[in-house]
Amino acid sequence: MTTLLPNGSYTYAILERGKQLATSTIVVSRANGALTIEEHASPMEPSEKTIRTLDASTLVTRSYTTGVPERTVASVTVSGDNAVVQDGTSTLRFVAARGAPFAVSDLVVGFWFHLPATLHAARTQKLTVISLGFATKVGPLTASTSTAARPSRVPKRDSALSVTGEGATGTLWYDPQTFVLDEFDVPGHQFVFARIANPER
């Protein structure tokens, strides 16, 4: 069987209105029954990164941290349908919607990177998303079959999912065997995450 989200390094360009704003490098590894996703995106500080820990079988989020080695900026700990968020001096507690496991979204690529694989492995079309960024908030995300036109950058073999949350809809383009993300498009905001050096089309 093909491994979902194989261990390794993946790099993405972050584009808005056709202009590249930043890049993001994601490293996937596995140990002790967990899958870890480490991400460093420009223009983060050199030592700054986010770390997501997912259940190795369901790929549902267990924990999330962001910061530099000497200082954690924010963290999320998930236990079943309950999540605790430490954001600065605030501690927030949330309960997931029935059948919609927690996931953590921030201002970079990591959440979207694992989203196709998580929806598949957890056998769900709904997630309860904790959004970290300018403010901490929680809301639903739903997935459905996509009818979007295939962008020229996207490999011909890729599958697609439409995802809706926070009033916006985007399309996830991903390898149907490994579920690695090749591109995420949000046309309404002219925003794209595109994998750099895509494999053979």
Side-chain angles (χ1 to χ4, degrees):
M1 291 181 63
T2 303
T3 301
L4 300 187
L5 303 184
N7 291 355
S9 179
Y10 305 86
T11 302
Y12 293 83
I14 300 171
L15 304 102
E16 185 175 14
R17 301 180 186 276
K19 180 180 179 181
Q20 183 169 325
L21 303 179
T23 59
S24 170
T25 298
I26 288 171
V27 178
V28 177
S29 61
R30 287 168 168 81
N32 303 319
L35 182 151
T36 299
I37 297 171
E38 296 189 16
E39 178 176 16
H40 175 81
S42 61
M44 286 179 169
E45 296 176 32
S47 62
E48 185 179 358
K49 61 184 176 181
T50 67
I51 302 174
R52 301 165 194 273
T53 302
L54 312 181
D55 181 275
S57 59
T58 64
L59 301 186
V60 168
T61 299
R62 289 180 173 177
S63 66
Y64 167 97
T65 61
T66 182
V68 292
E70 62 274 13
R71 178 173 56 90
T72 296
V73 175
S75 68
V76 180
T77 304
V78 177
S79 178
D81 292 336
N82 296 281
V84 178
V85 180
Q86 294 284 154
D87 189 0
T89 58
S90 301
T91 300
L92 305 170
R93 301 177 188 275
F94 301 104
V95 178
R98 183 182 295 274
F102 277 116
V104 180
S105 173
D106 50 23
L107 300 176
V108 282
V109 182
F111 165 65
W112 308 103
F113 171 79
H114 75 80
L115 184 54
T118 295
L119 292 167
H120 174 76
R123 299 182 180 182
T124 183
Q125 291 184 310
K126 298 180 180 179
L127 292 175
T128 301
V129 179
I130 300 170
S131 297
L132 303 176
F134 302 112
T136 301
K137 52 189 175 181
V138 172
L141 178 140
T142 58
S144 59
T145 302
S146 174
T147 58
R150 185 182 303 271
S152 60
R153 292 179 295 254
V154 171
K156 294 178 181 178
R157 66 162 187 270
D158 272 16
S159 296
L161 274 177
S162 176
V163 289
T164 301
E166 296 189 23
T169 297
T171 303
L172 298 160
W173 296 95
Y174 61 94
D175 183 309
Q177 297 207 355
T178 63
F179 284 74
V180 169
L181 182 72
D182 280 316
E183 185 160 315
F184 176 55
D185 302 320
V186 188
H189 295 289
Q190 298 185 48
F191 200 78
V192 175
F193 293 147
R195 188 175 173 193
I196 296 173
N198 274 333
E200 209 52 45
R201 295 171 190 269

